[in-house]
Amino acid sequence: MTNTRSNPRYRGIFPVVPTTFNEAGELDLESQKRCLDFMIDTGSDGLCILANFSEQFLLSDEEREVLTRTALEHVAGRVPVIVTTTHFSTKVCAERSRRAQDMGAAMVMVMPPYHGATFRVPEPKIEEFYARLSDAINIPIMVQDAPAAGTPLSAALLARMAQQIEHLAYFKIETAGAASKLRELIRLGGEAIEGPWDGEEAITLMSDLDAGATGSMTGGGYMDGIRPIIEAHRAGDREKAFAIYEKWLPLINYENRQAGFLAAKTLMKEGGVIACEAPRHPWPSMHPDTRSGLLEVAKRLDPLVLRWGR
């Protein structure tokens, strides 16, 4: 059966896995494995590694290989794993993606080519980039449409690529007005838009689900809070979905607007999942008052992350 929006291979919540370091800034693979186990135990439909929320921009190529192999071998098929393989170079991105596929990745997630504040390529080159990537692998490609890339990707371009490029089928929409863009993407691309997904820590989740999103790539700290929103909405109970969303929105907001990608590691450290919550230098640690505020909001909701490792 053909995989389409009506019959997607993947849907639900696919949170981003944080990368765990020790106090010296070296990879902590034992904490990494516990992190993966926790994220599966708490209801993830799948996982995403090496994303921006994984501090991928602070990792060496060698460390990327170690983390990809460690994650895929430890998960061992329990849930599908998306590997982020973004790179400006078409050749390097294709090679990264082939290696991820060979190690067992279910999908690759790739931002359009960008570097720094001003290095961009025109729309025809973006299409060529994704077409060549598709030719190099046999697993789905997710386009990450994120502000970090600074590259405008119109709904028309995304829909056209979905219809013309074999493996390009999933779209993580994180730009302003995400719900409107999702609606337009689905209208233009139809069934070729196999996976219209939401991002940004689920801050716009209800609007995006109403617009037709079938998946969400969130932070990794409290899938037990977010998954029921998606499931209730999918079952047609929008009132229940909204009530759960209202309950968890203060924590979602705190992560999205105050704590960023350090939120998941802070919650995991507090709950005994990982040994160290520090980011890698030169990224600053969370301010102690911000940390206290995050934990105050989280404790009101009693997410599994605060109990899993105790």
Side-chain angles (χ1 to χ4, degrees):
M1 181 179 258
T2 303
N3 296 116
T4 63
R5 187 163 53 88
S6 302
N7 182 45
R9 281 163 282 190
Y10 307 111
R11 65 181 186 179
I13 184 167
F14 277 63
V16 173
V17 179
T19 300
T20 54
F21 305 107
N22 61 25
E23 293 290 351
E26 302 300 322
L27 296 181
D28 177 356
L29 296 182
E30 289 309 307
S31 283
Q32 195 71 65
K33 293 173 185 176
R34 285 173 59 80
C35 172
L36 293 164
D37 289 338
F38 156 72
M39 292 177 72
I40 293 171
D41 284 355
T42 198
S44 300
D45 293 300
L47 302 171
C48 177
I49 64 171
L50 301 179
N52 290 329
F53 256 46
S54 312
E55 300 174 65
Q56 61 86 14
F57 45 86
L58 293 166
L59 300 170
S60 70
D61 288 347
E62 292 77 12
E63 288 171 328
R64 291 177 60 91
E65 293 291 305
V66 169
L67 287 164
T68 302
R69 192 171 301 281
T70 297
L72 290 169
E73 289 182 354
H74 188 70
V75 171
R78 285 178 284 171
V79 295
V81 177
I82 299 171
V83 179
T84 309
T85 57
T86 298
H87 196 280
F88 193 106
S89 163
T90 306
K91 180 178 183 294
V92 175
C93 185
E95 290 171 349
R96 280 183 174 182
S97 300
R98 276 196 300 268
R99 287 196 298 273
Q101 174 183 270
D102 292 346
M103 283 189 253
M107 186 189 310
V108 294
M109 183 170 74
V110 179
M111 282 194 283
Y114 78 99
H115 178 73
T118 60
F119 284 28
R120 303 286 183 271
V121 299
E123 199 168 277
K125 291 296 181 184
I126 294 173
E127 292 186 74
E128 290 176 13
F129 172 84
Y130 282 110
R132 293 185 187 184
L133 174 57
S134 179
D135 289 343
I137 58 177
N138 296 305
I139 56 177
I141 300 166
M142 172 178 282
V143 178
Q144 183 179 4
D145 184 12
T151 303
L153 298 171
S154 68
L157 170 62
L158 296 176
R160 185 167 69 246
M161 291 196 298
Q163 291 166 335
Q164 296 178 357
I165 299 174
E166 181 179 6
H167 298 301
L168 194 130
Y170 285 76
F171 302 85
K172 181 186 178 187
I173 306 298
E174 301 183 280
T175 52
S180 294
K181 191 164 189 177
L182 282 163
R183 283 193 180 91
E184 183 68 358
L185 176 62
I186 292 167
R187 185 185 73 81
L188 293 171
E191 288 296 306
I193 311 301
E194 182 180 335
W197 283 21
D198 157 274
E200 276 207 303
E201 302 79 66
I203 192 70
T204 59
L205 181 60
M206 275 302 299
S207 297
D208 295 343
L209 291 174
D210 287 344
T214 56
S216 184
M217 191 174 289
T218 67
Y222 44 96
M223 291 70 70
D224 50 327
I226 299 174
R227 178 172 176 162
I229 303 168
I230 299 171
E231 291 184 335
H233 196 282
R234 185 191 303 153
D237 193 341
R238 189 175 181 278
E239 285 302 311
K240 180 180 179 181
F242 194 90
I244 303 170
Y245 180 65
E246 271 190 313
K247 176 183 175 183
W248 287 86
L249 188 55
L251 183 55
I252 294 169
N253 180 72
Y254 208 100
E255 178 178 22
N256 178 261
R257 303 301 296 170
Q258 305 296 332
F261 64 73
L262 298 182
K265 289 206 286 190
T266 294
L267 295 171
M268 290 181 187
K269 172 64 165 63
E270 188 70 15
V273 179
I274 64 175
C276 174
E277 66 193 79
R280 184 171 252 183
H281 193 273
W283 197 270
S285 297
M286 193 184 301
H287 190 282
D289 291 344
T290 303
R291 187 182 192 277
S292 296
L294 172 69
L295 294 176
E296 178 186 11
V297 173
K299 286 173 181 176
R300 293 174 184 270
L301 296 162
D302 192 31
L304 179 62
V305 66
L306 297 179
R307 297 175 276 111
W308 187 87
R310 298 300 183 190

